[in-house]
Amino acid sequence: DAMVIQNPRYQVTQFGKPVTLSCSQTLNHNVMYWYQQKSSQAPKLLFHYYDKDFNNEADTPDNFQSRRPNTSFCFLDIRSPGLGDAAMYLCATSVRLGQETQYFGPGTRLLVL
Amino acid sequence: GNSVTQMEGPVTLSEEAFLTINCTYTATGYPSLFWYVQYPGEGLQLLLKATKADDKGSNKGFEATYRKETTSFHLEKGSVQVSDSAVYFCALSSNSGGSNYKLTFGKGTLLTVNP
């Protein structure tokens, strides 16, 4: 089945230690998104790629970076995780920008010690 | 700007009860409307969607009708099951402005269905 895959499902890191979360997709969609979801809140968009074009949301902290080496993979890098960065990180894809359905992966829950 | 308001939870129902989760929106242009469901510890799954006024989205016994006159997209199910226990998010994607790729989410409604 075509899908959005996120690894790992759970990630533990230490305060200030860089961490990378990964997302892959077999849908061959052009757009990939990263969301942060804190407990009992709605997902918050961090950034998205349309093909190789990177778009950062204005309020996304500089501590968060992303890479998309090819159509299938996208990475979220947190350079110096703080306690406030503990959250569920969701990857999503869509065929194109606009009023398109976004398809979400299962998420990676990040714990910062 | 765009916004979505959905009823506060939590909502607790008995199995086979009727479910309504209210959702209203504010948007420029003609948005597409979505309901996503999030089961415990999981990502979001698309439940249903509607792209224009009077469209009805339906899936797994859930329905929602795009009402432009009342700017609403209420989620309904005639007979809930224990397996429907989850958080439900109403969302919109607007076709106007520079942020037409963005999903605007409501705060989510936690539904618990007891046997």
Side-chain angles (χ1 to χ4, degrees):
Chain A
D1 286 343
M3 54 176 41
V4 182
I5 302 158
Q6 291 188 243
N7 286 306
R9 295 293 308 276
Y10 299 90
Q11 177 74 56
V12 181
T13 191
Q14 292 179 331
F15 183 95
K17 185 175 181 181
V19 64
T20 295
L21 309 181
S22 72
C23 176
S24 64
Q25 53 129 342
T26 60
L27 298 163
N28 204 33
H29 284 174
N30 292 310
V31 191
M32 296 186 78
Y33 310 80
W34 278 104
Y35 289 84
Q36 179 192 63
Q37 186 183 24
K38 296 190 174 180
S39 181
S40 302
Q41 296 183 21
K44 176 181 179 297
L45 183 64
L46 296 174
F47 25 61
H48 75 274
Y49 273 96
Y50 179 69
D51 197 12
K52 294 185 182 297
D53 292 334
F54 176 73
N55 292 272
N56 202 33
E57 293 300 298
D59 57 354
T60 298
D62 292 341
N63 197 26
F64 291 86
Q65 304 286 324
S66 185
R67 296 169 283 135
R68 189 178 186 187
N70 54 51
T71 300
S72 301
F73 285 87
C74 194
F75 300 98
L76 170 62
D77 300 309
I78 308 176
R79 292 191 298 186
S80 181
L83 298 179
D85 297 327
M88 174 80 91
Y89 289 88
L90 298 167
C91 176
T93 72
S94 66
V95 173
R96 64 183 73 86
L97 293 175
Q99 295 175 285
E100 292 286 329
T101 300
Q102 293 187 21
Y103 297 88
F104 285 79
T108 294
R109 183 164 295 282
L110 178 68
L111 181 62
V112 181
L113 301 178
Chain B
N2 299 331
S3 67
V4 174
T5 302
Q6 61 182 105
M7 65 186 284
E8 296 278 334
V11 174
T12 302
L13 296 173
S14 297
E15 205 165 24
E16 299 185 3
F18 184 86
L19 169 70
T20 300
I21 301 178
N22 289 338
C23 172
T24 58
Y25 68 88
T26 302
T28 54
Y30 302 93
S32 291
L33 302 174
F34 306 85
W35 277 101
Y36 282 87
V37 58
Q38 187 173 33
Y39 298 101
E42 299 292 326
L44 275 69
Q45 298 177 26
L46 177 68
L47 183 60
L48 52 84
K49 70 175 183 179
T51 58
K52 61 182 188 298
D54 300 325
D55 268 2
K56 177 186 284 188
S58 61
N59 186 26
K60 299 180 181 179
F62 291 89
E63 293 182 339
T65 301
Y66 188 142
R67 300 285 188 202
K68 187 168 170 56
E69 64 275 13
T70 54
T71 62
S72 64
F73 193 55
H74 304 321
L75 182 68
E76 297 181 336
K77 186 175 185 182
S79 177
V80 293
Q81 306 300 312
V82 172
S83 57
D84 293 327
S85 298
V87 179
Y88 292 81
F89 289 96
C90 184
L92 71 81
S93 178
S94 176
N95 69 340
S96 68
S99 300
N100 65 345
Y101 56 88
K102 293 184 73 165
L103 276 178
T104 300
F105 287 95
K107 292 186 176 181
T109 301
L110 173 63
L111 171 66
T112 302
V113 180
N114 295 318

Coordinates of all heavy atoms in Angstrom, one line a residue, chain A residues 18-101:
Chain A
P18 N 21.7 17.2 19.1 CA 21.0 17.2 17.8 C 20.3 15.9 17.6 O 20.8 14.8 17.9 CB 22.1 17.4 16.8 CG 23.2 18.1 17.6 CD 23.2 17.5 19.0
V19 N 19.1 16.0 16.9 CA 18.4 14.8 16.6 C 17.8 15.0 15.2 O 17.4 16.1 14.8 CB 17.3 14.5 17.7 CG1 16.3 15.7 17.7 CG2 16.6 13.2 17.5
T20 N 17.6 13.9 14.5 CA 17.0 13.9 13.2 C 15.9 12.9 13.1 O 16.0 11.7 13.6 CB 18.1 13.5 12.1 OG1 19.1 14.5 12.1 CG2 17.4 13.4 10.7
L21 N 14.8 13.3 12.6 CA 13.6 12.5 12.4 C 13.4 12.3 10.9 O 13.7 13.2 10.1 CB 12.3 13.1 13.0 CG 12.4 13.6 14.5 CD1 11.1 14.2 14.9 CD2 12.9 12.5 15.4
S22 N 13.0 11.1 10.5 CA 12.9 10.9 9.1 C 11.5 10.5 8.7 O 10.6 10.0 9.4 CB 13.8 9.8 8.7 OG 13.3 8.5 9.2
C23 N 11.2 10.8 7.4 CA 9.9 10.6 6.8 C 10.1 10.1 5.4 O 11.0 10.7 4.7 CB 9.1 11.8 6.8 SG 7.5 11.7 5.9
S24 N 9.4 9.1 5.0 CA 9.5 8.6 3.6 C 8.1 8.4 3.1 O 7.2 8.1 3.9 CB 10.4 7.4 3.4 OG 9.8 6.3 4.1
Q25 N 7.9 8.5 1.8 CA 6.6 8.3 1.2 C 6.7 7.5 -0.1 O 7.7 7.6 -0.9 CB 6.0 9.6 0.9 CG 6.8 10.6 0.1 CD 6.1 11.2 -1.1 OE1 5.1 10.7 -1.5 NE2 6.7 12.3 -1.6
T26 N 5.7 6.6 -0.3 CA 5.6 5.8 -1.5 C 4.5 6.4 -2.4 O 4.1 5.7 -3.4 CB 5.4 4.4 -1.2 OG1 4.2 4.2 -0.5 CG2 6.5 3.8 -0.4
L27 N 4.0 7.5 -2.1 CA 2.8 8.1 -2.8 C 3.3 8.9 -4.1 O 2.5 9.3 -4.9 CB 2.0 9.0 -1.9 CG 1.4 8.3 -0.7 CD1 1.0 9.3 0.3 CD2 0.2 7.5 -1.2
N28 N 4.6 9.2 -4.1 CA 5.2 10.0 -5.2 C 4.5 11.4 -5.2 O 4.4 12.0 -6.3 CB 5.0 9.4 -6.5 CG 6.1 9.8 -7.5 OD1 7.2 10.2 -7.2 ND2 5.7 9.9 -8.8
H29 N 4.2 12.0 -4.0 CA 3.6 13.3 -4.0 C 4.7 14.4 -4.0 O 5.9 14.2 -3.6 CB 2.9 13.4 -2.7 CG 1.5 12.7 -2.7 ND1 0.7 12.7 -1.6 CD2 0.9 12.1 -3.7 CE1 -0.4 12.0 -1.9 NE2 -0.3 11.6 -3.2
N30 N 4.3 15.5 -4.6 CA 5.3 16.6 -4.8 C 5.6 17.4 -3.5 O 6.6 18.0 -3.3 CB 4.8 17.6 -5.8 CG 4.7 17.0 -7.2 OD1 5.7 16.4 -7.6 ND2 3.6 17.1 -7.9
V31 N 4.6 17.4 -2.6 CA 4.7 18.2 -1.4 C 4.9 17.4 -0.2 O 4.1 16.4 0.0 CB 3.5 19.2 -1.3 CG1 3.8 20.2 -0.2 CG2 3.1 19.8 -2.6
M32 N 5.8 17.8 0.7 CA 6.0 17.1 2.0 C 6.0 18.2 3.1 O 6.6 19.3 2.9 CB 7.2 16.3 2.1 CG 7.2 15.1 1.1 SD 8.6 14.0 1.2 CE 8.2 13.1 2.7
Y33 N 5.3 17.9 4.2 CA 5.1 18.9 5.3 C 5.6 18.3 6.6 O 5.6 17.1 6.8 CB 3.6 19.2 5.5 CG 2.8 19.5 4.3 CD1 2.4 18.6 3.4 CD2 2.5 20.9 4.1 CE1 1.6 18.9 2.3 CE2 1.7 21.2 3.0 CZ 1.3 20.2 2.1 OH 0.5 20.6 1.0
W34 N 6.1 19.2 7.5 CA 6.4 18.8 8.9 C 5.5 19.6 9.8 O 5.5 20.8 9.7 CB 7.8 19.0 9.2 CG 8.8 17.9 8.7 CD1 9.6 17.9 7.7 CD2 8.9 16.6 9.3 NE1 10.3 16.7 7.6 CE2 9.9 15.9 8.6 CE3 8.3 15.9 10.4 CZ2 10.3 14.6 8.9 CZ3 8.7 14.6 10.7 CH2 9.7 14.0 10.0
Y35 N 4.9 18.9 10.7 CA 4.0 19.5 11.7 C 4.6 19.1 13.1 O 5.1 18.0 13.3 CB 2.6 19.0 11.7 CG 1.8 19.5 10.5 CD1 1.8 18.8 9.3 CD2 0.9 20.6 10.6 CE1 1.1 19.2 8.2 CE2 0.1 21.0 9.6 CZ 0.2 20.3 8.4 OH -0.6 20.7 7.3
Q36 N 4.4 20.0 14.1 CA 4.6 19.8 15.5 C 3.3 19.7 16.2 O 2.5 20.7 16.0 CB 5.5 20.8 16.1 CG 5.8 20.6 17.6 CD 6.4 21.9 18.2 OE1 5.8 23.0 18.2 NE2 7.7 21.8 18.6
Q37 N 3.0 18.7 17.0 CA 1.8 18.6 17.7 C 2.1 18.4 19.2 O 2.6 17.3 19.6 CB 0.9 17.5 17.2 CG -0.5 17.5 17.9 CD -1.4 16.4 17.4 OE1 -0.9 15.3 16.9 NE2 -2.7 16.5 17.5
K38 N 1.8 19.3 20.0 CA 2.0 19.2 21.5 C 0.7 18.6 22.1 O -0.4 18.6 21.4 CB 2.4 20.5 22.1 CG 3.7 21.0 21.6 CD 4.3 22.1 22.4 CE 5.7 22.4 21.9 NZ 6.3 23.6 22.7
S39 N 0.8 18.1 23.3 CA -0.3 17.4 23.9 C -1.6 18.2 23.9 O -1.6 19.3 24.3 CB 0.1 17.0 25.3 OG -0.9 16.3 26.0
S40 N -2.6 17.5 23.4 CA -4.0 18.1 23.4 C -4.1 19.4 22.6 O -5.0 20.2 22.9 CB -4.4 18.4 24.9 OG -4.4 17.2 25.6
Q41 N -3.2 19.5 21.6 CA -3.3 20.7 20.7 C -3.4 20.2 19.3 O -3.2 19.1 18.9 CB -2.1 21.5 20.9 CG -1.9 22.2 22.3 CD -0.7 23.1 22.3 OE1 -0.2 23.6 21.3 NE2 -0.3 23.3 23.6
A42 N -3.8 21.1 18.4 CA -3.8 20.9 17.0 C -2.4 20.9 16.4 O -1.5 21.5 17.0 CB -4.7 21.9 16.3
P43 N -2.2 20.2 15.3 CA -0.9 20.2 14.7 C -0.6 21.6 14.2 O -1.4 22.4 13.8 CB -1.0 19.3 13.5 CG -2.2 18.4 13.9 CD -3.1 19.2 14.7
K44 N 0.7 22.0 14.3 CA 1.2 23.3 13.9 C 2.2 23.1 12.8 O 3.2 22.4 13.0 CB 1.9 24.0 15.1 CG 2.5 25.3 14.8 CD 3.1 25.9 16.1 CE 3.8 27.3 15.8 NZ 4.9 27.2 14.9
L45 N 2.0 23.7 11.7 CA 2.9 23.6 10.5 C 4.2 24.3 10.8 O 4.3 25.4 11.2 CB 2.2 24.1 9.3 CG 3.0 24.0 8.0 CD1 3.2 22.5 7.6 CD2 2.3 24.8 6.9
L46 N 5.3 23.5 10.6 CA 6.7 24.1 10.7 C 7.2 24.6 9.4 O 7.7 25.7 9.3 CB 7.6 23.0 11.3 CG 7.3 22.5 12.7 CD1 8.3 21.3 13.0 CD2 7.5 23.6 13.7
F47 N 7.1 23.7 8.4 CA 7.6 24.0 7.0 C 7.1 23.0 6.0 O 6.6 22.0 6.4 CB 9.1 24.2 6.9 CG 9.9 23.4 7.9 CD1 9.8 22.0 8.0 CD2 10.8 24.0 8.8 CE1 10.6 21.3 8.9 CE2 11.6 23.3 9.7 CZ 11.4 22.0 9.8
H48 N 7.3 23.3 4.7 CA 7.0 22.3 3.7 C 7.9 22.5 2.5 O 8.6 23.5 2.4 CB 5.5 22.5 3.2 CG 5.3 23.7 2.3 ND1 5.0 24.9 2.8 CD2 5.3 23.8 1.0 CE1 4.8 25.7 1.8 NE2 5.0 25.1 0.7
Y49 N 8.0 21.4 1.8 CA 8.8 21.4 0.5 C 7.8 21.2 -0.6 O 6.9 20.3 -0.5 CB 9.8 20.2 0.5 CG 11.1 20.5 1.1 CD1 11.4 20.2 2.4 CD2 12.1 21.1 0.3 CE1 12.7 20.4 2.9 CE2 13.4 21.3 0.8 CZ 13.6 21.0 2.1 OH 14.9 21.2 2.7
Y50 N 7.9 22.0 -1.6 CA 7.2 21.7 -2.9 C 8.3 21.3 -3.8 O 9.1 22.2 -4.3 CB 6.4 22.9 -3.4 CG 5.7 22.6 -4.7 CD1 4.7 21.7 -4.7 CD2 6.2 23.2 -5.9 CE1 4.1 21.4 -5.9 CE2 5.5 22.9 -7.1 CZ 4.5 22.0 -7.1 OH 3.9 21.7 -8.3
D51 N 8.4 20.0 -4.1 CA 9.5 19.5 -4.8 C 10.8 19.9 -4.1 O 10.9 19.5 -2.9 CB 9.6 20.0 -6.3 CG 10.4 19.2 -7.2 OD1 10.9 18.1 -6.7 OD2 10.8 19.6 -8.3
K52 N 11.7 20.7 -4.6 CA 12.9 21.0 -3.9 C 12.8 22.4 -3.3 O 13.8 22.9 -2.6 CB 14.1 21.0 -4.9 CG 14.5 19.6 -5.4 CD 15.7 19.7 -6.2 CE 16.1 18.3 -6.8 NZ 16.4 17.4 -5.7
D53 N 11.7 23.1 -3.5 CA 11.5 24.4 -2.9 C 11.1 24.3 -1.5 O 10.0 23.8 -1.1 CB 10.5 25.2 -3.7 CG 11.0 25.5 -5.1 OD1 12.2 25.6 -5.3 OD2 10.1 25.7 -6.0
F54 N 11.9 25.0 -0.6 CA 11.7 24.9 0.9 C 10.9 26.2 1.3 O 11.3 27.3 0.9 CB 13.0 24.8 1.6 CG 12.9 24.9 3.1 CD1 12.4 23.8 3.8 CD2 13.3 26.0 3.8 CE1 12.3 23.8 5.2 CE2 13.2 26.1 5.2 CZ 12.7 25.0 5.8
N55 N 9.9 26.0 2.1 CA 9.1 27.1 2.6 C 9.0 27.0 4.1 O 8.4 26.0 4.7 CB 7.7 27.1 2.0 CG 7.8 27.5 0.5 OD1 7.8 28.6 0.2 ND2 7.9 26.4 -0.3
N56 N 9.5 28.0 4.8 CA 9.5 28.0 6.3 C 8.4 28.8 6.8 O 8.2 29.9 6.3 CB 10.9 28.6 6.7 CG 11.3 28.2 8.1 OD1 11.0 27.1 8.6 ND2 11.9 29.1 8.8
E57 N 7.6 28.4 7.8 CA 6.6 29.2 8.4 C 7.3 30.3 9.2 O 8.4 30.1 9.8 CB 5.7 28.4 9.3 CG 4.8 27.4 8.5 CD 4.0 28.1 7.5 OE1 3.1 28.9 7.9 OE2 4.1 27.8 6.3
A58 N 6.7 31.5 9.2 CA 7.4 32.7 9.8 C 7.7 32.4 11.3 O 8.7 33.0 11.8 CB 6.5 33.9 9.7
D59 N 6.9 31.6 12.0 CA 7.1 31.5 13.4 C 7.9 30.2 13.8 O 7.9 29.8 14.9 CB 5.8 31.6 14.2 CG 4.8 30.6 13.7 OD1 5.1 29.9 12.7 OD2 3.7 30.5 14.3
T60 N 8.4 29.5 12.8 CA 9.2 28.3 13.1 C 10.6 28.7 13.6 O 11.3 29.5 13.0 CB 9.4 27.5 11.8 OG1 8.1 27.0 11.4 CG2 10.2 26.2 12.1
P61 N 10.9 28.2 14.8 CA 12.3 28.6 15.4 C 13.4 28.1 14.5 O 13.3 27.1 13.8 CB 12.3 27.8 16.7 CG 10.8 27.5 17.0 CD 10.2 27.3 15.7
D62 N 14.5 28.9 14.5 CA 15.7 28.6 13.7 C 16.3 27.2 14.1 O 17.1 26.7 13.4 CB 16.8 29.7 13.9 CG 16.3 31.0 13.3 OD1 15.5 30.9 12.5 OD2 16.9 32.0 13.7
N63 N 16.0 26.8 15.3 CA 16.5 25.5 15.8 C 16.0 24.3 14.9 O 16.5 23.2 15.0 CB 15.9 25.3 17.2 CG 16.7 24.3 18.0 OD1 17.8 24.0 17.8 ND2 16.0 23.7 19.0
F64 N 15.0 24.5 14.2 CA 14.4 23.5 13.3 C 14.8 23.7 11.9 O 14.7 24.8 11.3 CB 12.9 23.5 13.4 CG 12.3 23.1 14.7 CD1 12.1 24.0 15.7 CD2 11.9 21.8 14.9 CE1 11.6 23.6 17.0 CE2 11.4 21.4 16.2 CZ 11.2 22.3 17.2
Q65 N 15.4 22.6 11.3 CA 15.8 22.6 9.9 C 15.2 21.4 9.2 O 14.8 20.5 9.8 CB 17.3 22.6 9.8 CG 18.0 23.7 10.6 CD 17.9 25.0 9.9 OE1 17.9 25.1 8.7 NE2 17.8 26.1 10.7
S66 N 15.2 21.5 7.9 CA 14.7 20.3 7.1 C 15.6 20.1 5.9 O 16.2 21.0 5.4 CB 13.2 20.5 6.8 OG 12.7 19.4 6.1
R67 N 15.6 18.8 5.4 CA 16.3 18.4 4.2 C 15.4 17.5 3.4 O 14.7 16.7 4.0 CB 17.6 17.7 4.5 CG 18.6 18.5 5.3 CD 19.7 17.6 5.7 NE 19.4 16.8 6.9 CZ 19.6 15.5 7.1 NH1 20.2 14.8 6.1 NH2 19.3 14.9 8.2
R68 N 15.4 17.7 2.1 CA 14.7 16.7 1.2 C 15.6 16.3 0.1 O 15.7 17.0 -0.9 CB 13.4 17.4 0.7 CG 12.5 16.4 0.0 CD 11.2 17.0 -0.6 NE 10.4 15.9 -1.1 CZ 9.2 16.2 -1.8 NH1 8.9 17.4 -2.0 NH2 8.5 15.2 -2.3
P69 N 16.4 15.3 0.3 CA 17.3 14.8 -0.7 C 16.7 14.3 -2.0 O 17.4 14.3 -3.0 CB 18.1 13.8 0.0 CG 17.2 13.2 1.1 CD 16.4 14.4 1.5
N70 N 15.5 13.8 -1.9 CA 14.9 13.3 -3.1 C 13.4 13.3 -2.9 O 12.9 13.7 -1.8 CB 15.4 11.9 -3.5 CG 15.2 10.9 -2.3 OD1 14.2 10.8 -1.7 ND2 16.3 10.2 -2.0
T71 N 12.6 12.9 -3.9 CA 11.1 13.0 -3.8 C 10.6 12.2 -2.6 O 9.6 12.6 -2.0 CB 10.5 12.5 -5.1 OG1 10.9 13.3 -6.1 CG2 9.0 12.5 -5.0
S72 N 11.2 11.1 -2.3 CA 10.7 10.1 -1.3 C 11.0 10.5 0.1 O 10.2 10.0 1.0 CB 11.2 8.7 -1.6 OG 10.8 8.3 -2.9
F73 N 12.1 11.1 0.4 CA 12.5 11.3 1.8 C 12.5 12.8 2.2 O 12.9 13.7 1.4 CB 13.9 10.7 1.9 CG 14.0 9.2 2.0 CD1 14.1 8.5 0.8 CD2 13.9 8.6 3.2 CE1 14.1 7.1 0.9 CE2 13.9 7.2 3.2 CZ 14.0 6.5 2.1
C74 N 12.2 13.0 3.5 CA 12.3 14.3 4.0 C 12.8 14.1 5.5 O 12.3 13.2 6.2 CB 11.0 15.0 3.9 SG 11.1 16.8 4.3
F75 N 13.7 15.0 6.0 CA 14.2 14.9 7.3 C 13.9 16.2 8.1 O 13.9 17.3 7.5 CB 15.7 14.6 7.3 CG 16.1 13.4 6.6 CD1 16.5 13.4 5.2 CD2 16.0 12.1 7.2 CE1 16.9 12.2 4.6 CE2 16.4 11.0 6.6 CZ 16.8 11.0 5.2
L76 N 13.7 16.0 9.4 CA 13.6 17.1 10.3 C 14.8 17.1 11.2 O 15.0 16.0 11.9 CB 12.3 17.0 11.1 CG 12.1 18.0 12.2 CD1 12.1 19.4 11.8 CD2 10.8 17.7 13.0
D77 N 15.5 18.1 11.2 CA 16.7 18.2 12.1 C 16.4 19.2 13.2 O 16.0 20.4 12.9 CB 17.9 18.7 11.4 CG 18.3 17.7 10.2 OD1 18.4 16.5 10.5 OD2 18.5 18.2 9.1
I78 N 16.6 18.8 14.5 CA 16.5 19.8 15.6 C 17.9 19.9 16.1 O 18.5 19.0 16.6 CB 15.5 19.2 16.6 CG1 14.2 18.9 16.0 CG2 15.3 20.3 17.7 CD1 13.2 18.3 17.0
R79 N 18.4 21.1 16.0 CA 19.9 21.3 16.2 C 20.2 21.2 17.7 O 21.2 20.7 18.1 CB 20.3 22.7 15.6 CG 20.3 22.7 14.1 CD 20.9 23.9 13.6 NE 20.3 25.1 14.0 CZ 20.6 26.3 13.6 NH1 21.6 26.5 12.7 NH2 20.0 27.4 14.0
S80 N 19.4 21.8 18.5 CA 19.7 21.8 20.0 C 18.3 21.7 20.7 O 17.7 22.7 21.1 CB 20.4 23.1 20.4 OG 20.7 23.1 21.7
P81 N 17.8 20.5 20.8 CA 16.5 20.3 21.4 C 16.4 20.9 22.8 O 17.3 20.6 23.7 CB 16.3 18.8 21.4 CG 17.3 18.3 20.4 CD 18.5 19.2 20.5
G82 N 15.3 21.6 23.1 CA 15.0 22.0 24.4 C 13.9 21.2 25.0 O 13.2 20.5 24.2
L83 N 13.6 21.4 26.3 CA 12.5 20.6 26.9 C 11.2 21.0 26.2 O 10.3 20.1 26.1 CB 12.4 20.9 28.4 CG 13.7 20.5 29.2 CD1 13.5 20.9 30.7 CD2 14.0 19.0 29.1
G84 N 11.1 22.2 25.7 CA 9.8 22.6 25.1 C 9.6 22.0 23.7 O 8.6 22.2 23.1
D85 N 10.6 21.3 23.2 CA 10.5 20.7 21.8 C 9.9 19.3 21.9 O 9.7 18.6 20.9 CB 11.9 20.7 21.1 CG 12.4 22.1 20.9 OD1 11.5 23.0 20.6 OD2 13.6 22.3 20.9
A86 N 9.7 18.8 23.1 CA 9.1 17.5 23.3 C 7.7 17.5 22.7 O 6.9 18.4 23.1 CB 9.1 17.1 24.7
A87 N 7.4 16.7 21.8 CA 6.1 16.7 21.1 C 6.0 15.5 20.1 O 6.9 14.8 20.0 CB 6.0 18.0 20.2
M88 N 4.9 15.4 19.5 CA 4.7 14.5 18.4 C 5.0 15.3 17.1 O 4.5 16.4 16.9 CB 3.3 14.0 18.3 CG 3.0 13.1 17.1 SD 3.5 11.5 17.3 CE 2.0 10.7 18.0
Y89 N 5.8 14.7 16.2 CA 6.2 15.3 15.0 C 5.5 14.5 13.8 O 5.8 13.3 13.7 CB 7.7 15.5 14.8 CG 8.2 16.5 15.8 CD1 8.6 16.2 17.1 CD2 8.3 17.9 15.4 CE1 9.0 17.1 18.0 CE2 8.7 18.8 16.3 CZ 9.1 18.4 17.6 OH 9.5 19.4 18.5
L90 N 4.7 15.2 13.1 CA 4.0 14.6 12.0 C 4.5 15.0 10.7 O 4.7 16.2 10.4 CB 2.5 14.9 12.1 CG 1.8 14.5 13.4 CD1 0.4 15.2 13.6 CD2 1.6 13.0 13.5
C91 N 4.6 14.0 9.8 CA 5.0 14.3 8.4 C 3.7 14.1 7.6 O 2.9 13.2 7.9 CB 6.1 13.3 8.0 SG 6.5 13.4 6.2
A92 N 3.5 14.9 6.6 CA 2.4 14.7 5.7 C 2.8 15.0 4.2 O 3.8 15.6 4.0 CB 1.3 15.7 6.1
T93 N 2.0 14.5 3.3 CA 2.3 14.7 1.9 C 1.0 15.1 1.2 O -0.1 14.9 1.7 CB 2.8 13.5 1.2 OG1 1.8 12.5 1.1 CG2 4.0 12.9 2.0
S94 N 1.2 15.8 0.0 CA 0.0 16.1 -0.8 C 0.5 16.1 -2.3 O 1.7 16.3 -2.5 CB -0.7 17.4 -0.5 OG 0.1 18.5 -0.7
V95 N -0.4 15.9 -3.2 CA 0.0 15.8 -4.6 C 0.6 17.1 -5.0 O 1.6 17.2 -5.7 CB -1.2 15.5 -5.5 CG1 -0.9 15.6 -7.0 CG2 -1.7 14.1 -5.1
R96 N -0.1 18.2 -4.7 CA 0.3 19.6 -5.0 C -0.1 20.5 -4.0 O -0.7 20.1 -3.0 CB -0.3 20.0 -6.4 CG -1.8 20.0 -6.4 CD -2.3 20.4 -7.8 NE -2.2 19.2 -8.7 CZ -3.1 18.3 -8.8 NH1 -4.2 18.3 -8.1 NH2 -2.9 17.3 -9.7
L97 N 0.3 21.8 -4.1 CA -0.2 22.8 -3.2 C -1.6 23.2 -3.5 O -2.1 22.8 -4.6 CB 0.7 24.0 -3.3 CG 2.1 23.9 -2.8 CD1 2.9 25.1 -3.1 CD2 2.2 23.5 -1.3
G98 N -2.3 23.9 -2.6 CA -3.6 24.3 -2.8 C -4.6 23.4 -2.0 O -4.2 22.9 -0.9
Q99 N -5.8 23.3 -2.4 CA -6.8 22.7 -1.5 C -6.7 21.1 -1.7 O -7.7 20.5 -2.0 CB -8.1 23.2 -1.9 CG -8.3 24.7 -1.6 CD -9.6 25.2 -2.1 OE1 -9.8 25.4 -3.3 NE2 -10.6 25.4 -1.2
E100 N -5.5 20.6 -1.4 CA -5.3 19.2 -1.6 C -5.4 18.5 -0.3 O -5.0 19.0 0.7 CB -3.9 19.0 -2.2 CG -3.8 19.5 -3.7 CD -4.5 18.6 -4.6 OE1 -4.6 17.4 -4.4 OE2 -4.9 19.1 -5.7
T101 N -5.9 17.3 -0.3 CA -5.9 16.4 0.8 C -4.4 16.2 1.2 O -3.6 15.9 0.4 CB -6.6 15.1 0.5 OG1 -7.9 15.4 0.2 CG2 -6.5 14.2 1.8

